[in-house]
């Protein structure tokens, strides 16, 4: 990392890399921090998908509350060990969509680059938790194959950086990647899918916003927050700094049992994310990944919630409720 990565807009306190190292990785430590006693509900929190929670995110959890909507997203529990029919390791057909090492080209016009397998937080419902990142991501030696694929595929007008979380990469790494992409003339739009501005807002450094400002394409950043409580002053500042680069900011969320599966929570999420500068984009039906059945909600209940949102909110605050189905040419709207 370079020394010029100063926090935007004020002075850097702890570098985001150091904050990552200090993230909670043991459930007992996080529970102790929140004043909670493990009552035998917790799995060991290690392999294959260990717990990871930045302190900046844990600070937004309510102490003493097992039902806290942020804690529920990140705490490994015994329920993950349940084997449920219909919940698979690759529920969305990512393996079939693989076009080159580190490239998923599923939908017309846009290709998704798996830039890294790493994330700042490990969401227990994540559909990519069983993805073989070690062999599939596009960083380092593999990035050339990914860029070659995009360069040789003129229908790809939009490149999406995904992962894992692309903002886990150093900014100069991202810069090198976009420099290579800028030589591909058919790219017209650029997109980043990231949860870091929410879970580790100090990742939004001056160097990062400088990079975004200099990009040669109109750019979109899709952040990911599932509950209004994930927003605080530090997230507001990070998103404002991102917005000042001219990047369009959208939010995607996942409909999650016990976390945001009621009208009040969803309404507040949409209003709060807009207040922070992120327009609601997608509300995803849970991808049915092994170990996530306890987060699942019937589609009918999701549709009832969507009807409630439409009755309450301005049209632009209503997200599109979608489900990803392997083999379909777009994320399927649920109506
Ligand atoms: C979700 C996704 C996209 C983006 O889809 P949009 O509907 O444009 O947001 C692109 N590629 C893959 C592989 C995806 O899973
Ligand atoms: S940040 Fe995104 S990719 Fe990473 S674990 Fe969470 S949902 Fe999955």
């Amino acid at each position: 990392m370079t020394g010029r990565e100063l926090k935007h807009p004020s002075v850097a306190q702890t570098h985001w890399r150091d904050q990552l190292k200090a993230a909670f990785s043991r459930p007992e430590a996080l529970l102790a921090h929140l004043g909670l006693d493990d009552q035998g509900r917790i799995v060991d929190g290690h392999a294959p998908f260990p717990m990871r929670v930045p302190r900046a995110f844990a600070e937004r959890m309510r102490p003493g509350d097992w039902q806290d909507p942020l804690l529920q997203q990140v705490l490994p529990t015994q329920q993950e060990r349940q084997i449920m029919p219909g919940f698979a390791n690759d529920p969305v057909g990512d393996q079939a969509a693989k076009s080159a090492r580190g490239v998923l080209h599923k939908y017309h016009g846009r290709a998704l680059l798996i830039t890294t397998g790493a994330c700042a937080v490990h969401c227990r419902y994540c559909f990519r938790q069983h993805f073989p990142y070690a062999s599939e991501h596009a960083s380092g030696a593999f990035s050339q194959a990914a860029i070659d694929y995009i360069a040789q595929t003129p229908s790809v007008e939009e490149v999406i950086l995904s992962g894992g979380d692309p903002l886990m990469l150093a900014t100069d790494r991202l810069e090198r990647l976009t420099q290579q992409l800028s030589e591909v003339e058919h790219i017209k739009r650029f997109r980043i899918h990231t949860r870091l501005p929410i879970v580790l807002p100090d990742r939004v450094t001056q160097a990062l916003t400088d990079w975004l400002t200099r990009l040669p394409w109109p750019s979109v950043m899709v952040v990911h927050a599932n509950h209004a409580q994930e927003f605080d002053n530090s997230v507001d500042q990070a998103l404002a700094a991102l917005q000042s680069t001219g990047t369009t900011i959208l939010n995607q969320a996942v409909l999650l049992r016990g976390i945001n599966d009621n009208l009040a929570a969803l309404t507040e999420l949409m209003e709060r994310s807009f207040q922070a500068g992120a327009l609601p984009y997608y509300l995803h039906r849970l991808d049915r990944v092994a170990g996530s059945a306890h987060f699942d909600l019937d589609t009918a209940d999701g549709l009832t919630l969507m009807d409630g949102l439409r009755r309450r909110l301005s049209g632009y605050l209503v997200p599109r409720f979608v489900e990803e189905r392997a083999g379909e040419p777009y994320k399927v709207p649920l109506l």
Side-chain angles (χ1 to χ4, degrees):
M1 287 309 304
T2 57
R4 65 197 168 91
E5 293 238 338
L6 293 177
K7 181 177 182 273
H8 189 103
S10 57
V11 186
Q13 291 148 7
T14 313
H15 195 281
W16 66 272
R17 286 271 181 219
D18 295 323
Q19 292 187 41
L20 270 181
K21 281 186 209 124
F24 288 105
S25 56
R26 289 186 316 121
E28 315 85 75
L30 175 61
L31 292 176
H33 175 77
L34 295 170
L36 290 167
D37 272 333
D38 181 1
Q39 296 156 5
R41 318 183 201 200
I42 309 309
V43 262
D44 55 32
H46 300 292
F49 191 54
M51 192 186 88
R52 187 168 215 190
V53 186
R55 282 170 193 265
F57 192 69
E59 288 313 315
R60 291 169 238 157
M61 296 174 184
R62 287 188 301 260
D65 183 359
W66 277 106
Q67 301 312 317
D68 180 85
L70 279 58
L71 178 64
Q72 292 281 320
Q73 293 180 48
V74 297
L75 186 69
T77 64
Q78 298 291 352
Q79 290 163 299
E80 290 178 16
R81 297 278 161 99
Q82 289 167 1
I83 311 271
M84 296 292 282
F87 286 76
N89 279 352
D90 180 18
V92 298
D94 272 349
Q95 286 302 320
K98 201 176 68 189
S99 305
R101 272 243 159 103
V103 184
L104 295 179
H105 187 187
K106 254 190 207 182
Y107 302 142
H108 181 80
R110 56 247 198 246
L112 189 148
L113 280 187
I114 306 282
T115 54
T116 169
C119 289
V121 68
H122 286 174
C123 313
R124 306 320 298 179
Y125 53 84
C126 179
F127 72 101
R128 291 218 174 100
Q129 60 183 276
H130 305 286
F131 197 73
Y133 284 113
S135 60
E136 298 302 343
H137 71 75
S139 61
F142 298 147
S143 61
Q144 197 53 49
I147 287 163
D148 288 348
Y149 174 81
I150 288 164
Q152 289 155 14
T153 313
S155 70
V156 174
E157 298 194 338
E158 176 175 0
V159 173
I160 304 171
L161 301 192
S162 183
D165 198 310
L167 293 191
M168 291 292 278
L169 299 180
T171 308
D172 48 12
R173 214 50 198 280
L174 293 167
E175 191 140 22
R176 264 179 279 140
L177 180 61
T178 50
Q179 245 148 29
Q180 284 180 285
L181 291 172
S182 68
E183 284 159 26
V184 181
E185 279 176 14
H186 53 261
I187 298 176
K188 299 201 174 73
R189 292 173 293 280
F190 180 70
R191 197 192 319 181
I192 302 167
H193 283 179
T194 177
R195 192 143 155 71
L196 270 167
I198 307 291
V199 300
L200 192 65
D202 283 346
R203 174 64 186 93
V204 181
T205 59
Q206 183 72 54
L208 188 81
T209 53
D210 287 349
W211 167 65
L212 289 168
T213 305
R214 285 194 307 265
L215 290 176
W217 318 280
S219 300
V220 177
M221 181 176 284
V222 185
V223 298
H224 172 180
N226 302 309
H227 196 279
Q229 200 181 310
E230 291 174 56
F231 293 86
D232 69 358
N233 191 37
S234 65
V235 175
D236 288 342
Q237 282 185 26
L239 295 187
L242 291 166
Q243 242 186 348
S244 74
T245 69
T247 305
T248 299
I249 317 283
L250 306 173
N251 183 56
Q252 58 182 339
V254 183
L255 183 58
L256 296 165
R257 176 179 295 281
I259 292 168
N260 58 14
D261 58 339
N262 64 81
L263 191 52
L266 286 175
T267 304
E268 211 189 330
L269 169 63
M270 304 313 156
E271 291 175 343
R272 187 65 183 85
S273 75
F274 179 73
Q275 188 192 322
L279 266 178
Y281 183 39
Y282 282 141
L283 177 66
H284 295 269
R285 183 168 180 233
L286 183 79
D287 294 313
R288 315 189 102 211
V289 67
S292 71
H294 54 294
F295 290 119
D296 197 24
L297 212 70
D298 285 343
T299 298
D301 294 335
L303 291 173
T304 304
L305 289 167
M306 283 303 299
D307 183 65
L309 287 180
R310 285 191 191 96
R311 287 170 192 274
R312 284 189 181 202
L313 291 172
S314 302
Y316 60 86
L317 292 182
V318 180
R320 303 161 182 81
F321 184 40
V322 293
E323 176 175 67
E324 191 147 345
R325 294 190 195 135
E328 292 293 333
Y330 42 77
K331 299 190 202 298
V332 180
L334 298 172
L335 295 165

